[in-house]
């Protein structure tokens, strides 16, 4: 960090140590003459090299590697209001994740008593008082749409707050960074330890640290499978070696991914793997709240001493690099908005602390919209950041989001707990009986979505003179209606025979199923009665 | 390898060719790529030793593991057979007429019968068991049975067949050909009478008389048929060989009589039981309960 050019704008190029080494001549040269960002120099090295003096052998300075080696992030501990909020969100999200499967919910003797359960084996999805059947998967689709819109809503209102606080990658990375701090010490100690040769002490520390990583990862994978089976039973089965292979495989995979992504890849997931920041950059505008370095206030940078010697010549930024040291993704926020910034605001905490120490006002780095930044830079009055949340776009997102939720709740409230599907036999379509009447056979599926057995009446409607019987009720008892008991929370498959007198023509008619209880719920399905010569 | 030289900026050797001034650097394969290649070679050798690999004249080398896809299939099939053993044993034990009482076992029998039907019976009776009027294969879904439609009667038919050569107990019915016995008017009269039994044509006194003299012995005075003899009902709506006067006349003069192979010895008793249950379950077997509860009929079915 030697190149201090006072004319540099806040959108100046990133300066990583590795890059600086390879590019020293080109970068220095290019910047000095054109104030051009390094990125364009990387994309078009020829353009930059052309500016060299002719006697210089130009190709010597071509980089042999076009990617920058990762520099490990050792972020420093910081305390502050955003850090405390981050702690709070981390605690809440982890608690929800680990504890939810253990919440019980009494659904009576015929249904599982786990509050949130994805019962793949029986194809049911339980969420507290709501039970979703496979044919109602649109509710899950609705939830996913709500989740997507929710992300849009959050992004338009408070920028990348999801990334900074609630994203699982952030939460677990944060957790693992605390483990680092707990075992290896804070930033400087960790850097020293990383540089030190592998001795017994380092080995012991690493083993201890990775063990904690593994325990957390295992817990994470273990909690995941709890959502798919009765949690207490699964825990017992798991340790007894009796759980389903899928359970073990899932735990192993999630343990390894958590261990790798949370323990080692960390900010690389956010910067290189995650598509969401790319989408977000397209979703944000000058009215979105962002973590912003107020360069008009901070630049030019200078130490407290320099500022005291030359009053009015330096900005508020004293270049203490605390904002960089605390950043979990290792970026320098003073270089402007960038993909690497997850808006966790720890740099705000760090900067506020420094400003308080040297007696300057807080907020050199702060949550602000680009629009407000511009106003502030021009000395115009600005609004409170809270007001940035309420604007047409966020309100529109919120209305769409909320109306989907309401529509789903309404649909859940009025849905029928009885269902009927009918498939007529096609081979043969009809049977001529010896008395001249015609018989058709159907497979009926009676759905009872309540967790108690229910008696249901099946009736044939709109087929004059028709009688029906089923596979368990003989033809002697043929009648216009039949009664079946459908077991709790199940689909009963019934083979039904419908017989119509001679001379009946091929026609449409209905099966109606009605529950014989106080609800009298019913479902009707149209089907067809085939007769000889009636082929269409 | 002509003109090999070191490329100055990169320090890498070139491959020595030049195309319009463009040269190719002789960059070595990535190490991981080579190691992957070597690993696949090693794996290939191991595989050839362990598994069947080289095709010889009659068969392939067997491999030291002794694995073969046929062997694997046989193993899987024996596992399936093992799983079915209990059901099959139970089915072998239970008398067929009592099968419907055990609804779970009955369901398993019907399911097993359905697949056996597709293999052994669908060629004639059709995959939906609807038979064929053109070819004279009866529809098994309806309630019209030449020889009885209860479980025991169906099983007997399956075991012994109909007009099956070389089977002593086979179902045997004979309709004599009336070629030359009737003149044209008589033939019309008797045909009309037969059609009148199910209300399809007006009857005449001469036709009724001819029917009484020639047909009622087997088909019954009112055309009610006789299951003892396999004589079909003539007073219902189902006509195996067609109900037009022409088809009837052909049947009187030179009757077609169906036949069915016997399945004893070809299918094991349990499979036959399952097939009977399936046929019975097709919707026409509901008479069984009455028949089964009547010991006299049951005895009649036993030859």
């Amino acid at each position: 960090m030697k190149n201090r050019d006072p004319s540099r704008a806040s959108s100046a190029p990133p300066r990583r140590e590795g890059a600086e080494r390879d590019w020293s001549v080109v970068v220095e040269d290019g910047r000095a003459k054109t104030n051009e960002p390094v990125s364009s120099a990387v994309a078009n090295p020829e353009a930059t090299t052309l500016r060299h003096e002719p006697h210089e052998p130009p190709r010597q300075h071509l980089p042999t590697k076009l990617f920058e080696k990762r520099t490990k992030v050792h972020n420093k501990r910081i305390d502050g209001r955003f850090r405390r909020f981050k702690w709070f969100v981390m605690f809440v999200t982890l608690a929800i994740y680990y504890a939810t499967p253990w919440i019980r919910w009494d659904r009576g003797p015929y249904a599982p008593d786990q509050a949130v359960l994805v019962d793949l084996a029986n194809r049911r999805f339980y969420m507290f008082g709501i039970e979703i059947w496979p044919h109602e998967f649109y509710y899950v689709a609705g939830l996913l749409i709500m989740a997507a819109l929710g992300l849009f809503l959050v992004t338009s209102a408070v920028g990348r707050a999801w990334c900074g606080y609630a994203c699982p990658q952030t939460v677990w990375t944060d957790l693992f960074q605390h483990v680092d701090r707990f075992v290896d010490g804070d930033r400087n100690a960790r850097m020293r330890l990383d540089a030190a040769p592998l001795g017994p002490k380092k080995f012991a520390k690493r083993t201890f640290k990775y063990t904690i990583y593994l325990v957390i990862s295992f817990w994470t994978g273990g909690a995941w499978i709890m959502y798919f089976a009765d949690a207490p039973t699964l825990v017992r089965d798991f340790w007894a070696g009796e759980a389903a292979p899928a359970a073990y495989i899932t735990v192993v995979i999630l343990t390894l991914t958590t261990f790798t992504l949370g323990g080692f890849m960390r900010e690389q997931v956010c910067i290189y793997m995650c598509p969401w920041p790319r989408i977000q950059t397209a979703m944000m505008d000058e009215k979105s709240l962002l973590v912003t370095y107020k360069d008009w206030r901070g630049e030019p940078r200078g130490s407290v001493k320099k500022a005291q010697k030359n009053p009015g010549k330096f900005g508020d930024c004293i270049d203490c690099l605390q904002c960089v040291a605390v950043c979990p993704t290792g970026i320098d926020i003073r270089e402007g908005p960038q993909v690497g910034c997850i808006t966790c605001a720890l740099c705000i905490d760090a900067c506020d602390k420094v400003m308080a120490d040297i007696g300057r006002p807080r907020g050199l780095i702060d949550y602000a919209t680009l629009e407000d930044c511009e106003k502030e830079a021009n000395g115009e009055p600005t609004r409170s950041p809270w007001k940035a949340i309420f604007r047409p776009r966020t309100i529109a997102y919120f209305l769409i989001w909320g109306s989907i939720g309401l529509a789903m709740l309404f649909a859940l409230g009025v849905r029928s707990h009885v269902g009927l599907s009918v498939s007529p036999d096609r081979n043969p379509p009809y049977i001529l009986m010896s008395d001249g009447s015609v018989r058709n056979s159907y497979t009926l599926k009676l759905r009872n979505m309540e967790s108690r057995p229910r008696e249901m009446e099946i009736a044939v409607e709109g087929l004059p003179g028709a009688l029906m019987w089923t596979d368990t009720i003989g033809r002697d008892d043929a009648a216009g209606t039949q009664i079946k008991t459908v077991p709790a929370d199940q689909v009963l498959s019934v083979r039904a025979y419908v017989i119509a007198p001679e001379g009946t023509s091929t026609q449409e008619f209905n099966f109606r199923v009605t529950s014989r209880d106080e609800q009298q719920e019913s479902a009707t399905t149209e089907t067809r009665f085939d007769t000889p010569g009636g082929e269409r | 390898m002509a003109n090999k030289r070191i490329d100055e900026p990169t320090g890498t050797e070139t491959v020595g060719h030049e195309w319009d001034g463009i040269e190719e650097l002789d960059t070595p394969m990535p190490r991981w790529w080579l190691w992957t290649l070597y690993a696949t070679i090693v794996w290939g050798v191991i595989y050839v030793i362990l598994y069947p690999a080289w095709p010889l004249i009659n068969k392939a080398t067997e491999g030291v593991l002794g694995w073969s896809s046929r062997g694997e299939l046989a193993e899987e099939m024996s596992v399936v057979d093992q799983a079915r053993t209990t059901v099959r044993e139970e089915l072998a034990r239970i008398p067929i007429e009592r099968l419907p009482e055990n609804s779970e076992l009955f369901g398993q029998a019907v399911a097993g019968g359905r697949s056996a039907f597709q293999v052994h019976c669908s060629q004639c009776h059709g995959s939906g068991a609807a038979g064929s009027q053109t070819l004279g294969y009866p529809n098994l879904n309806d309630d019209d049975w030449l020889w009885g439609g209860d479980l025991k009667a169906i099983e007997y038919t399956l075991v012994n067949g109909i007009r099956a050569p070389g089977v002593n107990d086979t179902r045997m019915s004979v309709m004599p050909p009336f070629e030359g016995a009737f003149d044209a008017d008589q033939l019309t009269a008797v045909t009309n009478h037969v059609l009148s039994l199910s209300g399809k044509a007006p009857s005449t006194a001469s036709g009724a008389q001819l029917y009484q003299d020639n047909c009622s012995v087997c088909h019954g005075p009112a055309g009610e048929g006789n299951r003892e003899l396999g004589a079909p009902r003539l007073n219902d709506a189902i006509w195996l060989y067609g109900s037009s006067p022409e088809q009837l006349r052909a049947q009187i003069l030179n009757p077609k009589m169906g036949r069915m192979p016997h399945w004893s010895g070809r299918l094991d008793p349990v499979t036959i039981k399952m097939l009977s249950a399936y046929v019975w379950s097709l919707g026409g077997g509901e008479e069984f309960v009455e028949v089964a509860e009547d010991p006299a009929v049951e005895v009649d079915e036993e030859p």
Side-chain angles (χ1 to χ4, degrees), chain A residues 24 31 51 74 92 128 242 278 280 433 442 490:
Chain A
S24 51
R31 192 182 287 152
R51 294 191 209 95
H74 299 95
V92 170
F128 299 96
E242 289 162 4
R278 268 82 180 163
Q280 275 181 320
M433 303 305 275
Y442 303 86
Q490 276 190 25

Side-chain angles (χ1 to χ4, degrees), chain A residues 150-160 276 280 283-284 288:
Chain A
L151 278 177
F152 298 171
L153 173 61
V154 168
T155 304
S156 67
V158 288
R160 300 181 55 187
W276 185 230
Q280 275 181 320
M283 297 194 57
M284 294 191 300
S288 308

Side-chain angles (χ1 to χ4, degrees), chain A residues 59 64 427-428 430-437 439 441 469 474-476 495 497 502, chain B residues 9 127-130 139 141-144 233 235-238 281-284 286 290:
Chain A
R59 295 182 75 183
T64 49
N427 180 20
Y430 59 83
I431 308 286
L432 189 63
M433 303 305 275
S434 51
D435 61 359
S437 55
R439 195 191 79 205
S441 332
W469 73 97
R475 188 187 171 181
D476 300 336
R495 211 174 141 72
Y497 302 103
E502 197 170 0
Chain B
S127 62
N139 184 345
N141 292 285
D142 62 26
D143 58 345
D144 191 28
R233 265 178 84 176
N235 61 359
D236 65 9
I238 295 175
S281 78
L282 286 171
E286 75 274 4
E290 295 155 38

Side-chain angles (χ1 to χ4, degrees), chain B residues 212-235:
Chain B
Q212 290 305 327
D213 295 346
N214 295 291
C215 316
S216 66
V217 184
C218 294
H219 290 286
E224 66 269 26
N226 187 339
R227 289 185 172 180
E228 306 285 310
L229 307 167
R233 265 178 84 176
L234 301 178
N235 61 359

Side-chain angles (χ1 to χ4, degrees), chain A residues 171-221:
Chain A
V171 171
W172 265 274
T173 297
D174 203 23
L175 186 64
F176 279 86
Q177 281 169 345
H178 291 307
V179 174
D180 286 355
R181 217 161 274 146
F182 171 70
V183 178
D184 296 344
D186 205 10
R187 177 175 158 91
N188 293 337
R190 286 210 304 279
M191 286 167 98
R192 270 199 307 278
L193 190 72
D194 264 4
L198 187 68
K201 198 180 161 198
K202 183 173 174 179
F203 183 79
K205 277 194 165 177
R206 284 285 135 96
T207 315
F208 182 46
K209 186 168 83 172
Y210 294 156
T211 311
I212 301 179
Y213 279 9
L214 268 180
V215 170
I216 294 172
S217 306
F218 174 75
W219 250 48
T220 306

Side-chain angles (χ1 to χ4, degrees), chain A residues 141-436:
Chain A
L143 277 181
L144 291 175
I145 292 170
M146 280 182 77
L149 280 172
L151 278 177
F152 298 171
L153 173 61
V154 168
T155 304
S156 67
V158 288
R160 300 181 55 187
W162 164 261
C163 289
Y165 300 99
C167 170
Q169 175 64 21
T170 286
V171 171
W172 265 274
T173 297
D174 203 23
L175 186 64
F176 279 86
Q177 281 169 345
H178 291 307
V179 174
D180 286 355
R181 217 161 274 146
F182 171 70
V183 178
D184 296 344
D186 205 10
R187 177 175 158 91
N188 293 337
R190 286 210 304 279
M191 286 167 98
R192 270 199 307 278
L193 190 72
D194 264 4
L198 187 68
K201 198 180 161 198
K202 183 173 174 179
F203 183 79
K205 277 194 165 177
R206 284 285 135 96
T207 315
F208 182 46
K209 186 168 83 172
Y210 294 156
T211 311
I212 301 179
Y213 279 9
L214 268 180
V215 170
I216 294 172
S217 306
F218 174 75
W219 250 48
T220 306
W224 180 258
I225 60 170
M226 298 299 152
Y227 286 86
F228 296 85
D230 182 56
T233 320
L234 184 58
V235 168
R236 201 191 55 224
D237 288 352
F238 189 86
W239 292 111
E242 289 162 4
Y248 294 103
I249 295 167
T250 309
V251 169
V252 168
I253 290 174
L254 286 185
T255 304
L256 292 180
T257 47
T258 312
F259 186 70
T260 320
L261 299 182
F264 301 95
M265 295 188 68
R266 296 188 178 172
E267 83 284 353
Q268 295 195 300
V269 175
C270 307
I271 298 175
Y272 301 109
M273 286 168 70
C274 179
W276 185 230
R278 268 82 180 163
I279 302 168
Q280 275 181 320
T281 50
M283 297 194 57
M284 294 191 300
D285 57 13
E286 67 282 357
K287 289 181 164 63
S288 308
L289 271 182
L290 291 174
V291 171
T292 318
Y293 167 67
K294 297 175 176 169
D295 53 356
W296 69 92
R297 190 185 136 188
E299 304 292 321
R301 302 168 195 174
S303 70
V304 181
K305 270 186 192 163
K306 273 194 203 164
Q308 276 168 348
K309 275 183 204 159
N310 310 287
K313 227 185 145 191
F314 290 98
D316 276 348
C317 180
I318 58 166
D319 219 358
C320 63
L321 291 171
Q322 289 304 297
C323 53
V324 180
V326 297
C327 181
T329 59
I331 59 155
D332 187 346
I333 190 63
R334 296 172 300 172
E335 286 161 2
Q338 52 202 285
V339 158
C341 176
I342 57 169
T343 335
C344 65
L346 294 187
C347 50
I348 302 183
D349 280 344
C351 191
D352 283 355
K353 196 159 170 264
V354 171
M355 289 297 120
D357 285 350
I358 61 171
R360 290 177 186 170
R362 68 159 296 275
L364 175 58
I365 305 175
D366 205 356
Y367 267 115
T369 66
L370 289 180
E371 199 178 57
D372 278 341
C373 282
E374 194 128 320
K375 281 187 190 164
E376 205 177 326
N378 298 335
E380 293 165 34
T382 57
R383 299 176 308 157
S384 150
W386 293 106
K387 289 205 174 128
I389 296 171
F390 301 102
R391 58 193 179 103
R393 192 199 287 207
T394 51
I395 292 165
Y397 278 139
F398 181 77
L399 287 179
I400 301 171
W401 182 81
S403 46
I404 292 174
L406 284 178
M408 292 215 310
L409 281 178
F410 177 75
L412 273 172
V414 301
R415 69 177 174 167
S416 170
H417 293 238
V418 160
L420 172 69
S421 78
V422 178
S423 65
D425 268 14
R426 287 278 174 240
N427 180 20
Y430 59 83
I431 308 286
L432 189 63
M433 303 305 275
S434 51
D435 61 359

